[in-house]
């Protein structure tokens, strides 16, 4: 049993949180490591389970711990931060953050448009589209499965190196992206998605729909991104809309 | 067995997706209703389970169906859309979308600052803060659990009607919010969160950290929002950052 050095006047759960935070900061509890159970912590520090629970809640709020459904509580791994304020490519964003972007090309094919393609790419039912699937890495960690759909006139992409940044490849063909829309929700990893992203099947992931248009408002692509939220955080900096005060 | 009217040249899974989409649009399959299992659909329409799976994937991609881990596949309920582009209050956003905002005040208290409060509210360790918890509704549906922490000088809020929009209450006290930061991730519903939001315990939810400052850059609040992603979608409209092309 490792007793806490009990400070008078500071609630025990804060003391336990401080102790565990210290262990995380000093690397005694390591990134992605599963921490002991509530029962084990309660025995080890000679505190009630309610105290343990409150301490773990604090550290979870601070994003130092991550609770996973039915699995346990883990020390949060290093998260890569993506700023959503501007329409910046994945690679550009990584570089701006001082991180190393990476891409693994998975597949490219010509397929019949789905209804969502018809809607977002402004094409006719039954038309063919270009579908490109890539796995995106940040500092060699797989963080996002990206599937982009392009109108068929973008078939020139199929002869390009799709491990390279797509925005640059498009720019080399005089396709300049100007505006975009993103929509964020939750999905659950399929077997294949789990394998590519190194997570468990059915684990909750962020789902981001993504559309992009050129300066004339013509759709360039419609995409779906499956994101490992344990590894990748989206942030936004906002200003008050003057009209909405 | 309800046979599909088989069209020559159109793959069966697209025909099945069209048929199910029609049933959703016509309300034969109702919002939030669990659809038949793959096996049942396979038997009913006399198609293989692979065909069923491909059809369901299409409708899931279109966000017409929602797959829930270990529970089944459901017709997606009406989603409320929040535009994240500007720092707009929940109430303002609902009204702009033609929806009815609602608030249920849950609790307000004075508590000792957590380390995250110290960090985001620029206060000292051990100081007290004001903690306000509210459940937010859109068209009478609970969509978000909101917990906001304010520096102690905002204690005047405790004598206000906290069912009213907070931005307006603050404005009446000459506190004008100017800038903010949001961070988006995933969390799993605790028992209490599940009860308030009407979801299952441990169901995946969106987690949004939220900070807000006034025109002088002084922190006004630091908040945590737990969001039912089945009910509420975040969208963003973006322009290319000229410097980042």
């Amino acid at each position: 049993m490792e007793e806490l050095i009990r400070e008078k006047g500071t609630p025990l759960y804060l003391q336990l949180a401080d102790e565990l935070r210290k262990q995380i900061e000093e690397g005694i509890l390591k990134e992605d490591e599963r921490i002991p159970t509530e029962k084990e912590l309660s025995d080890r520090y000679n505190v009630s389970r309610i105290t343990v629970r409150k301490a773990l809640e604090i550290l979870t709020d601070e994003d130092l711990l991550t609770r996973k459904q039915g699995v346990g509580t883990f020390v949060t791994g290093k998260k890569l931060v993506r700023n959503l304020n501007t329409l910046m490519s994945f690679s550009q964003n990584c570089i701006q953050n001082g991180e190393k972007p990476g891409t693994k090309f998975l597949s490219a094919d010509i397929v019949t448009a789905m209804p969502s393609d018809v809607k977002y790419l402004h094409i006719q039912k039954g038309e063919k589209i270009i579908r490109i699937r890539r796995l995106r890495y940040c500092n060699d960690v797989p963080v996002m499965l990206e599937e982009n759909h392009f109108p068929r006139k973008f078939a020139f992409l199929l002869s390009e190196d799709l491990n390279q940044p797509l925005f640059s490849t498009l720019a080399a063909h005089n396709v300049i992206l100007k505006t975009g829309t993103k929509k964020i929700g939750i999905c659950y990893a399929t077997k294949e998605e789990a394998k590519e992203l190194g997570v468990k099947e059915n684990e909750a992931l962020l789902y981001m729909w993504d559309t992009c248009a050129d300066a004339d408002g013509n759709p360039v692509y419609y995409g779906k991104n499956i994101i490992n939220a344990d590894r990748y955080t989206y942030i936004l900096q906002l200003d008050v809309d003057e009209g909405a005060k």
Side-chain angles (χ1 to χ4, degrees), chain A residues 67-156:
Chain A
R67 194 165 64 91
K68 291 204 188 179
Q69 182 185 1
V71 191
T73 300
F74 295 78
V75 179
T76 306
K78 184 179 177 334
K79 286 203 188 188
L80 310 156
V81 172
R82 181 153 199 190
N83 189 324
L84 276 178
N85 284 74
T86 58
L87 186 67
M88 193 183 279
S89 78
F90 178 91
S91 305
Q92 288 164 340
N93 188 82
C94 284
I95 291 165
Q96 200 178 60
N97 289 351
E99 289 151 356
K100 188 181 79 166
T103 302
K104 183 173 119 190
F105 167 70
L106 297 176
S107 68
D109 41 18
I110 298 183
V111 294
T112 303
M114 295 287 123
S116 42
D117 299 320
V118 170
K119 181 175 168 188
Y120 292 113
L121 297 179
H122 303 177
I123 57 176
Q124 299 299 312
K125 196 178 166 182
E127 274 189 49
K128 299 285 183 186
I129 56 136
I130 314 298
R131 180 176 67 184
I132 297 174
R133 295 179 66 252
R134 309 190 305 169
L135 181 60
R136 313 305 302 269
Y137 293 81
C138 195
N139 297 338
D140 301 318
V141 176
V143 290
M144 179 164 89
L145 255 177
E146 175 197 277
E147 178 175 320
N148 287 328
H149 295 189
F150 297 83
R152 197 172 185 175
K153 67 179 175 190
F154 289 90
F156 61 81

Side-chain angles (χ1 to χ4, degrees), chain A residues 15-219:
Chain A
Q15 294 186 41
L16 179 56
D18 285 345
E19 169 61 25
L20 294 174
R21 189 183 305 103
K22 200 171 129 237
Q23 292 184 17
I24 294 168
E25 283 162 0
E26 292 176 353
I28 298 166
L29 289 170
K30 292 185 179 47
E31 271 184 26
D32 298 318
E33 185 178 321
R34 184 176 162 162
I35 66 160
T37 62
E38 279 180 21
K39 167 113 186 33
E40 287 162 353
L41 289 168
S42 153
D43 291 347
R44 182 180 304 175
Y45 293 103
N46 192 26
V47 294
S48 74
R49 288 186 64 167
I50 291 174
T51 298
V52 172
R53 205 165 302 150
K54 285 177 86 170
L56 298 188
E57 264 173 30
I58 290 172
L59 300 174
T60 305
D61 275 353
E62 289 174 45
D63 207 17
L64 290 173
L65 293 179
T66 303
R67 194 165 64 91
K68 291 204 188 179
Q69 182 185 1
V71 191
T73 300
F74 295 78
V75 179
T76 306
K78 184 179 177 334
K79 286 203 188 188
L80 310 156
V81 172
R82 181 153 199 190
N83 189 324
L84 276 178
N85 284 74
T86 58
L87 186 67
M88 193 183 279
S89 78
F90 178 91
S91 305
Q92 288 164 340
N93 188 82
C94 284
I95 291 165
Q96 200 178 60
N97 289 351
E99 289 151 356
K100 188 181 79 166
T103 302
K104 183 173 119 190
F105 167 70
L106 297 176
S107 68
D109 41 18
I110 298 183
V111 294
T112 303
M114 295 287 123
S116 42
D117 299 320
V118 170
K119 181 175 168 188
Y120 292 113
L121 297 179
H122 303 177
I123 57 176
Q124 299 299 312
K125 196 178 166 182
E127 274 189 49
K128 299 285 183 186
I129 56 136
I130 314 298
R131 180 176 67 184
I132 297 174
R133 295 179 66 252
R134 309 190 305 169
L135 181 60
R136 313 305 302 269
Y137 293 81
C138 195
N139 297 338
D140 301 318
V141 176
V143 290
M144 179 164 89
L145 255 177
E146 175 197 277
E147 178 175 320
N148 287 328
H149 295 189
F150 297 83
R152 197 172 185 175
K153 67 179 175 190
F154 289 90
F156 61 81
L157 289 170
L158 301 179
S159 58
E160 297 285 349
D161 177 1
L162 295 170
N163 291 308
Q164 296 304 313
L166 210 47
F167 278 33
S168 314
T169 306
L170 287 166
H173 287 269
N174 297 314
V175 179
I176 309 297
L177 300 171
K178 184 66 188 160
T179 58
T181 306
K182 292 181 194 293
K183 204 168 88 176
I184 299 169
I186 286 176
C187 67
Y188 299 93
T190 64
K191 200 170 181 176
E192 194 215 343
E193 289 160 3
K195 197 181 149 205
E196 296 286 5
L197 290 171
V199 300
K200 284 177 48 169
E201 195 177 341
N202 281 325
E203 189 165 321
L205 300 168
L206 286 178
Y207 191 137
M208 192 169 73
W209 290 259
D210 191 10
T211 64
C212 232
D214 64 19
D216 300 323
N218 297 316

